[in-house]
Amino acid sequence: MGKRDIDYSVYLVTGRELLPPGKDYLESLEESIQGGVTVVQVREKNADTGEFLEIAQKSQAICKKHNIPLIINDRIDIALAIHADGVHIGQTDMPISIARHLLPPDTIIGVTTSTPEQVQQAIKDGADYVGLGPVWGTKTKDVKNPPAGPRGIGELLTLLEGTDVKAVAIAGIKSSNALHCLHGSVSPGGRTLDGLAVVSEIVGSPEPFKAAKRLAGIIKSFKSSQKLIFSLGPGSLQTSSPSPTAGDILSAVRKFGPLVHQITNNVVTTQSANATLALGGSPIMATAPEEMEDLCKIPGALLVNFGTIQNLDGMLAAGRNANINKKPVVFDPVGVGATQFRRSSAKHLLDSWQATVIKGNAGELAALANSNEVQAKGVDSVGKGFADPAGFVRNLARKQRAIIVLTGKDDYVSDGFNVIRLSNGHPLLGDITGSGCMVGTAVATFCAGASMAETANLTDPFEEDGKLARGDMFLAAASGVLALTIASEFAAVREDVKGSGTFLPALIDELGKLTPEKFVERAKIEIL
């Protein structure tokens, strides 16, 4: 008899200590399965052998009733006693080789892994699946390794490419961050998670059926989606140019007037707000964490620019709530390589929420990628730049699972598959403070327009679709860059512009005068 084929999508780990007052364990378990749990692991850290055996037998009866596989945590003897479908062991438990010798050959064996070495060893030892994590911090289990975040899980998944070993993410997973975990935990080669391991979200709920159903819906919708990086995917630019699309998105911005929420540095607040207004958006520069849940329910986009990093808690709350509400998040890590605090803050943010677009100059993006190829001095890049900028942005987009915008003399935009080079702009942009920040504002505004236009076409905008942001964010990001750079060309040749002091107000004027025809006429785009 061969091993059972298991759907790891909604992997429930039990924990009776988490049950709400008055909720029966077996009742909760059955409701969870009816809601969409696909596999159950019985974990009893404090029960003696007799109690564990009784709980395992009763749990197994319910699982068999619904044809759901049952896995026992740690205890080989309990698994043997009830003929469980599988066993899950930790790094300090019995080695896989010994467990495999003791258990029937058709037993599924899973192992907890936190490091590349542990994943490689699990593959070598013949594990059927691995639990990767911790993704985030959790109160349901003592963890020795620091949270990896979805991007860290994606790196571990790279080791599973080309193998039959399944993978579930563990620790800190809830319905509010499940989609972020699934989207962000993808290897550069496209290896995805097979499921999410959940404890308190379901066990601690007074309505486990609804909790399980909500998670199952998110996971199912993600698995049925194309799992792309906020774009139309490979080859989408082979038959169309972004320039007419930029005009369409500009029209959407002016039609919908999206709220563009900007947590930005105090050097550029006024000009960023004015640029948003000129393009047709509605700016708000709110930073208090207490406001973020309400603000992120309003359609539009979020820009997080941490040039002065004054309210990290506000940035964290804003990004999380934006992900929950499927709002595009544009991250501008200004001067990220300048200090250790900026580097650690950027990591904390990107581990806590999923950026839709990451925009930066060569020095900033090199720092995010841990590359020494380009250096930075404060907020500016120094040196010649990347030898292969197209390859760099493509690889970084796959690693970050975000659209990457590399700004410079030429601008590069990638979704991990497509790369385009944009060659508009005027040298006067480099003579005013915050022109790069205004690019971030324009990108966020166009992402908001694209998102609202896509949502307006949906039959049910509240139906789960497995996406963290709607609309083609690749084209929206490129269009935002074009908006500012094309406007700069019109502004620079005006008779009233005598230098950088008169250039800035003229630039705002020209952003307001942009038309779809100007994009088609002026856009300098090369598909690489």
Side-chain angles (χ1 to χ4, degrees):
M1 182 177 179
K3 293 180 182 179
R4 183 169 183 173
D5 187 19
I6 293 181
D7 178 1
Y8 291 92
S9 296
V10 187
Y11 186 122
L12 175 65
V13 181
T14 67
R16 288 187 295 154
E17 69 280 1
L18 299 173
L19 289 166
K23 191 69 175 180
D24 177 72
Y25 163 72
L26 296 175
E27 176 187 53
S28 174
L29 177 61
E30 184 154 30
E31 290 177 11
S32 303
I33 292 172
Q34 291 170 335
V37 164
T38 58
V39 57
V40 173
Q41 179 195 132
V42 177
R43 185 169 69 184
E44 291 288 333
K45 289 295 185 181
N46 302 314
D48 58 30
T49 298
E51 184 181 13
F52 196 159
L53 180 60
E54 181 182 3
I55 290 296
Q57 289 172 328
K58 291 181 177 179
S59 300
Q60 186 180 50
I62 292 174
C63 287
K64 283 187 174 181
K65 176 182 175 183
H66 297 280
N67 196 31
I68 296 296
L70 180 78
I71 293 172
I72 297 297
N73 178 261
D74 291 351
R75 296 287 297 271
I76 305 295
D77 56 336
I78 300 294
L80 283 167
I82 69 168
H83 304 289
D85 295 294
V87 65
H88 184 90
I89 54 183
Q91 287 296 315
T92 59
D93 298 324
M94 184 181 296
I96 294 178
S97 58
I98 297 178
R100 184 70 75 192
H101 178 72
L102 294 172
L103 292 162
D106 60 347
T107 304
I108 299 292
I109 297 181
V111 60
T112 301
T113 57
S114 302
T115 67
E117 294 76 18
Q118 290 172 357
V119 174
Q120 290 171 330
Q121 189 63 48
I123 297 170
K124 180 180 178 181
D125 291 343
D128 296 292
Y129 77 92
V130 291
L132 301 176
V135 185
W136 292 293
T138 177
K139 297 180 180 179
T140 62
K141 184 177 182 180
D142 293 330
V143 292
K144 297 180 180 179
N145 296 89
R151 296 175 303 150
I153 301 302
E155 292 177 3
L156 294 178
L157 283 167
T158 302
L159 302 171
L160 297 179
E161 291 177 4
T163 75
D164 294 326
V165 180
K166 305 299 184 182
V168 296
I170 58 176
I173 298 168
K174 305 175 182 179
S175 58
S176 58
N177 60 25
L179 194 51
H180 172 203
C181 185
L182 291 165
H183 175 94
S185 301
V186 179
S187 74
R191 178 65 156 86
T192 62
L193 289 166
D194 296 286
L196 301 179
V198 184
V199 190
S200 60
E201 176 81 358
I202 295 177
V203 179
S205 173
E207 298 181 297
F209 174 87
K210 290 184 178 179
K213 185 176 182 180
R214 184 166 54 248
L215 274 165
I218 292 170
I219 296 168
K220 182 179 180 180
S221 63
F222 176 79
K223 285 190 171 185
S224 63
S225 71
Q226 293 181 286
K227 307 177 187 64
L228 300 172
I229 308 175
F230 303 117
S231 72
L232 299 180
S236 63
L237 294 181
Q238 299 307 308
T239 58
S240 64
S241 167
S243 50
T245 307
D248 294 339
I249 300 175
L250 175 65
S251 298
V253 170
R254 291 174 176 167
K255 175 182 178 181
F256 294 106
L259 182 74
V260 184
H261 178 192
Q262 300 173 62
I263 303 178
T264 191
N265 68 79
N266 52 25
V267 178
V268 300
T269 301
T270 301
Q271 65 201 56
S272 294
N274 286 334
T276 307
L277 287 167
L279 288 169
S282 176
I284 184 168
M285 273 55 179
T287 61
E290 296 81 4
E291 294 186 281
M292 300 310 167
E293 183 176 355
D294 290 333
L295 284 175
C296 287
K297 292 177 182 177
I298 304 172
L302 169 68
L303 169 66
V304 175
N305 171 317
F306 74 2
T308 47
I309 319 184
Q310 293 178 313
N311 199 320
L312 194 61
D313 288 340
M315 295 177 183
L316 289 166
R320 290 176 181 138
N321 281 285
N323 279 175
I324 291 171
N325 290 284
K326 300 183 181 295
K327 290 182 71 168
V329 181
V330 178
F331 182 44
D332 190 350
V334 177
V336 65
T339 66
Q340 179 57 41
F341 176 65
R342 287 175 183 266
R343 290 190 290 273
S344 62
S345 296
K347 183 180 185 305
H348 189 19
L349 293 172
L350 291 173
D351 284 343
S352 300
W353 39 255
Q354 176 63 52
T356 312
V357 179
I358 300 176
K359 172 250 143 204
N361 61 33
E364 291 160 348
L365 295 186
L368 276 188
N370 296 315
S371 169
N372 295 319
E373 186 177 355
V374 178
Q375 302 299 313
K377 182 176 68 175
V379 300
D380 298 318
S381 294
V382 294
K384 296 181 178 180
F386 296 106
D388 179 16
F392 172 82
V393 294
R394 181 184 286 111
N395 292 333
L396 187 60
R398 292 184 179 183
K399 181 178 180 181
Q400 296 289 344
R401 296 287 295 162
I403 305 299
I404 298 297
V405 176
L406 169 62
T407 59
K409 183 179 179 181
D410 289 326
D411 304 305
Y412 293 81
V413 185
S414 179
D415 61 354
F417 303 99
N418 304 291
V419 180
I420 55 176
R421 178 165 55 208
L422 310 175
S423 301
N424 290 94
H426 191 277
L428 278 174
L429 281 172
D431 294 337
I432 61 172
T433 298
S435 60
C437 297
M438 291 176 70
V439 172
T441 291
V443 168
T445 303
F446 273 72
C447 286
S451 174
M452 293 187 70
E454 177 79 9
T455 302
N457 291 327
L458 298 177
T459 303
D460 181 3
F462 298 103
E463 182 179 359
E464 181 55 61
D465 55 9
K467 299 177 182 178
L468 280 168
R470 292 172 173 142
D472 191 333
M473 297 292 105
F474 174 55
L475 294 182
S479 300
V481 175
L482 287 171
L484 194 87
T485 53
I486 289 174
S488 75
E489 295 174 354
F490 283 102
V493 298
R494 285 174 38 157
E495 291 185 0
D496 58 333
V497 172
K498 308 300 181 182
S500 59
T502 48
F503 172 69
L504 178 57
L507 177 61
I508 301 296
D509 287 345
E510 294 302 326
L511 285 171
K513 294 179 180 179
L514 282 175
T515 63
E517 292 74 21
K518 287 183 178 180
F519 280 106
V520 176
E521 173 191 342
R522 288 293 190 103
K524 299 175 183 177
I525 304 166
E526 183 181 359
I527 301 171
L528 303 178

